[in-house]
Amino acid sequence: MTKAADSHPVQIDRFFAGPGARGDQWENLVELAEAWTQDPAGRAKFEAALAEMAVTEGFYAYPGLQLMTALRDHAEADDAHAAATLARRIIRGVLTRSYRQNTGEWEVHDEGERVTPDVLPPTLGRAETHRPYFEVLIVTGAPAARWPTLGTEWRRLRRPLDSFIYEPVFVGSFEDAFCATMLNPDLAAVVIHEGFVFKSQHNLPILRMLEEAKDQHETSADSALHLAQVVKRVRPELDLYLLSNGRVEEIAGNPKANVLRRVFYAVEELLELHLAILEGVQARYDTPFFNNLKKYAQRPIGTFHALPIARGKSVFKSDWIRDMGEFYGPTLFLAESSATTGGLDSLLEPTGNIKKAQDMAARAFGADRVFFVTNGTSTSNKMAVQALLAPGDIAIVDRNCHKSHHYGMVLAGAQPLYVEAFPMTEYSMYGAVPLRSIKQALLNLKADGRLHRAKMVDLTNCTFDGHIYNTRRVMEECLAIKPDLIFLWDEAWFGFARFSPFLRPRTAMGAANAIEAWLHDPKSVTAYEKQQTELGANPTEETLLKTRLIPDPRKVKLRVYQTHSTHKSMSALRQGSMLLVKDVEFHSVEQQFKEAVFTHASTSPNQQLIASLEVARRQMELEGYGLVHNAIDIALAIRQAVAQHPLISKYFHMLGADKMVPAVYRESGFTDYLDPKSNWATAHRSLQDDEFCLDPTRMTLVCGSAGFDGTQFKGMLSDRYNIQLNKTSRNSVLLQSNINNTRSDVAHLIRVLVEISNEIDQRLAEGGANVRKTFDARVKSLMTDVPDLPNFSHFHNAFRADAGKRTNEGDIRGGFYAAYDAAGCEYIRLADPEIDRRLKEGPDLVSASFVIPYPPGFPIMVPGQVITQETIDFMRKLDVKEIHGYDAAEGLKLVRAEALAKRMDKPAKRAA
Ligand SMILES: Cc1ncc(COP(=O)(O)O)c(C=O)c1O
């Protein structure tokens, strides 16, 4: 180690830094090497940087010991040019990943034949396919000096027949194994030899700050199994193998060993281990439906059923539509089929490869079962609501949830009990629903004697704008009030989160798995009983609201559903969605689910979509960890660049966690990812404890301060700069980073923001006082004259014949069908003074339809709802063009007072 490294022990647990930081470190080293070629004094800096990097570089196979030693040797030989050349070659290898296919890249003297680096999509550069590459972490007690020899032994096991190729990476301690697992995205398997030490010789302040680290001891008897469990918690997709020196039978029988794929007796069977590793990766690589579809496309099949486009003959033979065939290529048509035989399967009643594909997705996403859905999460939500709720059931629903939930309630005849998210009025958007409101709704139902009617809590996680619930806490506290509640978590935007150890515990399935483990822990009953004693026989409502309630593990029935738009955050084609199930009572609703599938799924589901769902699953299981880490890294880079750029930050800013989540919901005190005090441990604590967290990949960029409303700014970025954004609000736009983004995208965005800021700067500098005044007025109007967000008012009594006293649920289906009676409805224009008169003098204005402005995208009116002054004020101030359910020329569609009176009469007559 160099002196520099001695004086500042290298910290290797900066997991927050992300993969981009590695490229930056290499870039920095290259710059130092180049500077040294100009000035001999630069050598010390180069050596210090190299020594600092060497520690974490040991967690990756490439560049490996040989090249790192060569760099050090060049430094020792005072050969700046050789060091710079090699460092440049290494960074190219790291960034283009060419070392995966080109053995020459690993050599000190690069004389091997060069393969085109993997920077272009394969179809653009090369014809031949190559074997996918991964790395295997080997945790061993063998001295580091032996690792190169061991590495050679591993490489000798390779055979041309192998479908994949891998490189071993060696570490010697528990802590290093943990850091390597966190840092190296290419790992696909971990081999744990018994006999490693616990403590890393490196500096790990953040890791050692964590609660979890506290119960770890240096000489724990079952440290290998303990390590296996910790690794599995961080990266459940990895295959784990344990090599024991003697106690194989005992280990294999230990319940903790269920996280291992196989246990081997250490001194034998290295080839078996090699084959097991390949087989384990193959099990994730396998895509049974897609494989069959590919085979199907290659067969000479004559079709005498519908779908003339299948096989492409109607396309390629046509003078008039051949361009479509040329555009998409023949494979698309060869793989089109309406058959469910011949190697394919039926999505509606899967028994073959679609069933297998769904089971594999369940494994990947931590569920018991999965339904593939080819019509978006809009359909997944409606399926779940229909299958789980019957007419009259009460569901606690976030009023701002996606419209599919509201429509689902209409279809099911369930009664939504709307709960409100906290408002973020200054940005014209909503946050998420505070747990207190949800508990209050349940306690109100209890007080009304109607708790038995409450079947479901239906929430959006994360919200469009990135608010993540504390899913575990919400479910536990609700289950403490009603132990058999069903949870439907709409994770349309959040499917990718499964593959981040930071975000996973906050997903529906992450939390459901943690609760399931807790239910089986004998300590849980004790914790529950202790709290019951503390609460006493009759705790007040306020006490129950304030206390973090513990459910009775003996009574809980864990029933968790999650939907996600695979297409929104993973590599599925548009409309690809999944419905995930973890429900101990699933057997009791299985038939209902079949009915829901039959109701909503097309009988002609698209084959490509099904295949893409499967392929998306494969990708996430094999490289999702790195891709998601990269998406987070990109988001942090964008946030940082916007905050730090002197010109951009004059007009634009990104809302940090502290702005998106009010302090009362950030109990850990976490402020923002960009706060210099934030590190992996503080973020981890926030994710563990806080009521709400911010998904860093969802970035709200305030553009009102630059004089643009959201829609205008979105249009400008798209028309002038080819940048597509997510949603907008009055004064902001939402940017989303995902597994597709690169640092070039960041550069493009930042350059564009600089250009726009420059234009504003120039316009203001050259325009004089009047231009400045107009600009300031526009900014003020966008940033301060914002309309109050209307809360849900209440259903009209005509739709509350069967409702409780303390809760606001209503018969939304009745409201919806009231609109079908044309004579019972009327229209009044928004500007008509009649609206104001009716608001003052009555009769009530009752909406006959959903009215959903985009943005903000939540229904400001639902059928049967009484319209209040605040809703009218909001609508009158709205400056958006797209309002679903409202035609400005006709006006608001209302249920006439007479029709309402007739409805109210009916139950009375029936009762008589
Ligand atoms: C929260 C939420 N749920 C569901 C959906 C519908 O998903 P899909 O577009 O896959 O139908 C959306 C769409 O934007 C959404 O934001």
Side-chain angles (χ1 to χ4, degrees), residues 75-76 93 95 149 169 231 277 349 378 415 645 728 823 892:
E76 233 157 68
L95 296 180
T149 318
V169 176
V231 169
I277 289 171
E349 193 95 58
S378 306
Q415 303 215 355
H645 197 285
T728 61
L892 294 172

Side-chain angles (χ1 to χ4, degrees), residues 583-609:
D583 179 0
V584 290
E585 295 290 303
F586 187 75
H587 56 93
S588 68
V589 290
E590 188 159 10
Q591 196 50 41
Q592 291 154 220
F593 256 93
K594 280 199 174 152
E595 296 294 350
V597 171
F598 295 153
T599 309
H600 295 281
S602 163
T603 39
S604 311
N606 181 297
Q607 311 284 11
Q608 303 147 49
L609 265 170

Side-chain angles (χ1 to χ4, degrees), residues 375-381 400-405 460-464 490-493 563-568 574-577 698 726 854:
N375 196 15
T377 298
S378 306
T379 298
S380 305
N381 289 336
N400 303 310
C401 65
H402 187 257
K403 61 185 176 189
S404 47
H405 299 267
T460 308
N461 184 54
C462 67
T463 66
F464 216 138
D490 178 345
E491 299 195 347
W493 298 99
T563 56
H564 74 237
S565 296
T566 324
H567 70 97
K568 287 195 204 296
R574 195 157 163 80
Q575 295 193 2
S577 169
R698 304 189 74 77
N726 212 302
Y854 284 84

Side-chain angles (χ1 to χ4, degrees), residues 495-515:
F496 73 96
R498 167 83 192 160
F499 299 90
S500 159
F502 303 111
L503 302 177
R504 187 185 314 110
R506 290 244 171 185
T507 62
M509 288 304 143
N513 283 300
I515 295 175

Side-chain angles (χ1 to χ4, degrees), residues 385-525:
V385 170
Q386 176 183 324
L388 298 167
L389 295 177
D393 285 347
I394 297 172
I396 295 176
V397 187
D398 171 7
R399 199 271 308 237
N400 303 310
C401 65
H402 187 257
K403 61 185 176 189
S404 47
H405 299 267
H406 303 276
Y407 282 107
M409 300 290 155
V410 171
L411 291 174
Q415 303 215 355
L417 193 172
Y418 286 121
V419 280
E420 294 286 349
F422 64 83
M424 298 171 63
T425 311
E426 50 184 324
Y427 304 110
S428 283
M429 59 170 88
Y430 275 98
V433 184
L435 178 52
R436 189 183 169 96
S437 310
I438 300 167
K439 283 166 71 179
Q440 182 73 68
L442 287 168
L443 293 173
N444 286 345
L445 285 167
K446 192 172 178 185
D448 272 353
R450 295 163 59 78
L451 191 58
H452 64 286
R453 298 264 302 266
K455 289 278 157 61
M456 176 188 275
V457 172
D458 183 356
L459 298 168
T460 308
N461 184 54
C462 67
T463 66
F464 216 138
D465 299 293
H467 299 93
I468 313 174
Y469 282 85
N470 193 330
T471 41
R472 178 168 179 178
R473 180 168 165 196
V474 170
M475 292 198 276
E476 283 180 350
E477 293 216 40
C478 290
L479 290 170
I481 301 173
K482 185 160 196 281
D484 61 351
L485 268 176
I486 302 173
F487 297 90
L488 172 57
W489 293 97
D490 178 345
E491 299 195 347
W493 298 99
F494 209 43
F496 73 96
R498 167 83 192 160
F499 299 90
S500 159
F502 303 111
L503 302 177
R504 187 185 314 110
R506 290 244 171 185
T507 62
M509 288 304 143
N513 283 300
I515 295 175
E516 186 184 45
W518 179 85
L519 291 176
H520 291 117
D521 184 343
K523 290 202 284 288
S524 309
V525 175

Side-chain angles (χ1 to χ4, degrees), residues 660-677:
M660 295 291 291
V661 179
V664 357
Y665 306 121
R666 281 182 282 113
E667 295 90 333
S668 75
F670 182 76
T671 48
D672 186 39
Y673 301 97
L674 293 193
D675 185 330
K677 291 196 292 300

Side-chain angles (χ1 to χ4, degrees), residues 121-392:
T123 48
L124 298 182
R126 280 191 319 262
E128 90 274 18
T129 50
H130 57 242
R131 288 191 284 181
Y133 167 96
F134 62 89
E135 294 177 10
V136 176
L137 183 68
I138 300 179
V139 190
T140 171
R146 280 204 55 220
W147 295 352
T149 318
L150 293 174
T152 310
E153 272 174 32
W154 276 94
R155 276 179 218 104
R156 251 191 240 123
L157 297 167
R158 287 178 187 164
R159 303 159 316 148
L161 270 178
D162 296 342
S163 307
F164 313 105
I165 189 154
Y166 68 86
E167 275 290 323
V169 176
F170 293 88
V171 290
S173 73
F174 185 108
E175 290 183 335
D176 285 329
F178 183 74
C179 290
T181 308
M182 290 293 288
L183 284 171
N184 185 340
D186 294 327
L187 295 181
V190 181
V191 175
I192 305 172
H193 285 260
E194 284 186 320
F196 53 85
V197 297
F198 181 82
K199 267 205 158 51
S200 167
Q201 55 181 336
H202 307 299
N203 192 25
L204 295 161
I206 295 173
L207 185 59
R208 288 172 193 155
M209 266 162 72
L210 289 176
E211 277 300 310
E212 286 94 328
K214 294 205 174 118
D215 68 340
Q216 295 169 4
H217 310 292
E218 273 194 55
T219 50
S220 158
D222 59 357
S223 56
L225 276 181
H226 183 43
L227 174 62
Q229 290 201 310
V230 169
V231 169
K232 202 71 182 171
R233 208 180 315 140
V234 179
R235 294 185 57 182
E237 75 279 8
L238 296 182
D239 290 328
L240 309 185
Y241 301 90
L242 197 143
L243 264 67
S244 170
N245 296 324
R247 310 175 294 134
V248 270
E249 301 80 7
E250 188 190 320
I251 291 173
N254 187 328
K256 283 187 184 170
N258 62 4
V259 296
L260 301 171
R261 191 159 185 277
R262 288 230 7 218
V263 179
F264 286 95
Y265 184 46
V267 291
E268 57 188 24
E269 323 218 57
L270 201 53
L271 179 62
E272 286 298 313
L273 176 56
H274 167 76
L275 295 176
I277 289 171
L278 293 177
E279 188 192 59
V281 171
Q282 182 66 48
R284 277 175 273 163
Y285 187 79
D286 206 14
T287 40
F289 177 78
F290 180 47
N291 296 353
N292 275 302
L293 190 62
K294 283 193 285 186
K295 275 192 213 143
Y296 178 90
Q298 281 161 11
R299 287 164 48 195
I301 290 172
T303 57
F304 288 98
H305 51 69
L307 202 69
I309 209 165
R311 320 305 293 177
K313 285 181 252 178
S314 73
V315 177
F316 288 102
K317 280 196 203 147
S318 164
D319 271 356
W320 302 100
I321 64 168
R322 193 166 45 228
D323 59 336
M324 180 169 88
E326 282 158 4
F327 180 69
Y328 284 115
T331 315
L332 177 82
F333 304 97
L334 291 172
E336 269 293 3
S337 173
S338 59
T340 52
T341 52
L344 302 176
D345 194 5
S346 160
L347 183 66
L348 277 84
E349 193 95 58
T351 52
N353 46 49
I354 294 184
K355 172 146 191 352
K356 267 195 213 147
Q358 291 185 154
D359 291 346
M360 290 163 90
R363 170 190 73 199
F365 288 96
D368 288 344
R369 67 190 72 231
V370 164
F371 291 90
F372 283 176
V373 180
T374 58
N375 196 15
T377 298
S378 306
T379 298
S380 305
N381 289 336
K382 282 180 275 196
M383 274 167 48
V385 170
Q386 176 183 324
L388 298 167
L389 295 177

